[in-house]
Amino acid sequence: MYAAFTTLSRIRQMRRCNSPPKNLFLQASPPAAALGLPIPMSSAQTTAILEPDIHRIGREILARARTARPAPFELGWWQDRGMAWANQHQHLREGLFRFISLLPKQRASADVARVLRENVTANGDDLPFPLALAVDFVDDHSLHARLVARAARFAAERMAHSFIVGSTPPEAVAAVTRMRRRNMCFTLDILGETVRTTEEAEHGELIHLEMISALAQAAKDWPQNDQTDVAPFGILPTVNVSVKLSALSPDFSHDIAELDLGEVYRRLAVICRAARKHGVAINIDLEHDSLRAATFDIFKRLLSEPDLRDWADAGIVIQAYLRESRRDLDDLLAFSRRRGVPLAIRLVKGAYWDYETNLAAKHGRPSPVWSQKWQSDANYEALSRVLIENCDQLRPAFGSHNVRSIAHAIAAADSRGLPPRTIELQALFGMGDPLKTALVKMQQRLRVYSPMGAWVPGVAYLVRRLLENTANESFLRQSFLENADEDQLLLRPEQSIAIRGAE
Ligand SMILES: Cc1cc2nc3c(=O)[nH]c(=O)nc-3n(C[C@H](O)[C@H](O)[C@H](O)COP(=O)(O)OP(=O)(O)OC[C@H]3O[C@@H](n4cnc5c(N)ncnc54)[C@H](O)[C@@H]3O)c2cc1C
């Protein structure tokens, strides 16, 4: 009876997904027209129609989130203050982050003291007086230096752990179980990208398999939660795991042109087959631009294998900061149509902006990423609408802490007449917690990207989060640390440039 009900409701929802739009995307033109896709009106036309809803939804999210902010007796309050302070002292911020990224390689306290002195003491003019005094040592082997080094390592570890759900498999399982009780679902990420040796890659594969099996076992005791587990198009897997391909082969992070993709393909195939057997969903993360083509290629080849071509629980990422991202999305859409089974697509802006920009400048070639923040924001909105228009073939998920981007996705889905929770919202563990609370209260399906493992192999992830939290352009920073004006936060990307001026 229940299965019949689910099938019936699935058919109804699919029809709604395919139904003519209320008021958007009326014209068709290449290249999407060649694929049979609806084409959005110009960005200005479309968002003008959606604008009142975006502002209404955005204001509600901000109001709810601002009342859920941590109090001064909570760790989160102090972390926010620390981030705000780091923002105001750019040299020190860079030195601190360099110190953290070098920390895992230092074994002895004297080495930690040296790295601290070279990167933090050298910029110590900005430190508050007691801290400046603490790091003011000359001999790295002195008792003073070694004690300070230990304290610094401890502080860095504490900070790292605020972005990690657990160091061990049992800790991670307990953490995601608690998360589910708070009406949030998760995607587990196992820290340890960019492996250097075959042994590390082997370990990467094994730990993914171990976590898939441990979570699938734990999931048997989880009661179904309608807010997180039931979408209009069907019941979702309760366990979702994100995979970075650079964790599966030492070759994958090197010169991609020379690459033998065999190892990463073999390991990913083993992981996906185990996931399918256990009813677990897999999402492939996107990393640097140099790995993008190979990542899409492996993903599509694997999902074309005879035993995986009808698997509906696989997904991948699109990075809106890439100029090529619309082409990537059209290509995935065409692949999904050929395959005849929906793909989950997580739309993000992209976590490697500084890296891509600096690399392109170093080699004197055009950058693959947009140069101005509003361009990434505007592209994110345009791609959001393409995803929503094609929700019969793509399962849209929006990974962002930007209230304007989130409100735009919700408003676009509503205007299309989609039932609640056709789209999924995603956020990172340890970031934007008040925002998560607000979205859950608004009955959205919220998936939390939940890294697990030791912080040492996860240091690259940690530094990306710190950079993101403290970047000048960061929405989280402006909205929650600096309390920027609501109307300004919710401006259309194209308008925000008019107010702030061209960067
Ligand atoms: C659940 C989840 C999963 C994720 N998975 C991935 C992943 O697989 N791969 C990945 O790369 N990232 C991933 N991310 C990280 C994501 O890319 C960053 O969190 C995101 O870019 C921050 O965007 P925002 O909308 O939250 O914030 P905003 O503050 O609105 O946007 C910040 C982003 O804008 C872009 N930007 C900043 N300055 C400029 C500029 N001058 N010109 C152009 N663009 C600029 C950058 O992408 C920057 O990260 C994930 C995030 C989430 C929430």
Side-chain angles (χ1 to χ4, degrees), residues 51-52 54-60 62-63 66 402-404 475 478-479 483-493 495-497 499-500:
E51 222 51 40
I54 297 174
H55 279 255
R56 177 181 50 75
I57 296 165
R59 272 196 293 272
E60 180 176 353
L62 282 170
R66 284 180 167 166
N402 182 320
V403 176
R404 160 79 202 190
F475 186 95
Q478 289 167 3
S479 55
N483 277 323
D485 175 66
E486 257 179 25
D487 287 334
Q488 216 160 341
L489 289 172
L490 296 174
L491 278 180
R492 273 175 40 204
Q495 277 178 316
S496 68
I497 192 175
I499 292 203
R500 281 191 280 152

Side-chain angles (χ1 to χ4, degrees), residues 187 244 283-287 317 319 321 346 348-353 369-377 380 398-402 405 426-428 431 447-449 465 468 473-476:
T187 178
K244 284 191 175 60
N283 203 93
I284 309 297
D285 287 355
L286 272 201
E287 305 177 64
V317 169
Q319 294 164 318
Y321 68 3
R346 177 199 302 150
V348 301
K349 283 174 198 154
Y352 307 86
W353 188 86
V369 294
W370 301 109
S371 62
Q372 298 188 27
K373 167 78 163 60
W374 71 268
Q375 294 173 306
S376 294
D377 290 339
Y380 192 93
F398 299 94
S400 174
H401 305 114
N402 182 320
S405 306
Q426 298 191 353
L428 298 173
M431 284 179 66
R447 191 174 300 283
V448 180
Y449 186 95
R465 296 295 76 84
E468 204 171 303
E473 301 270 27
S474 154
F475 186 95
L476 265 187

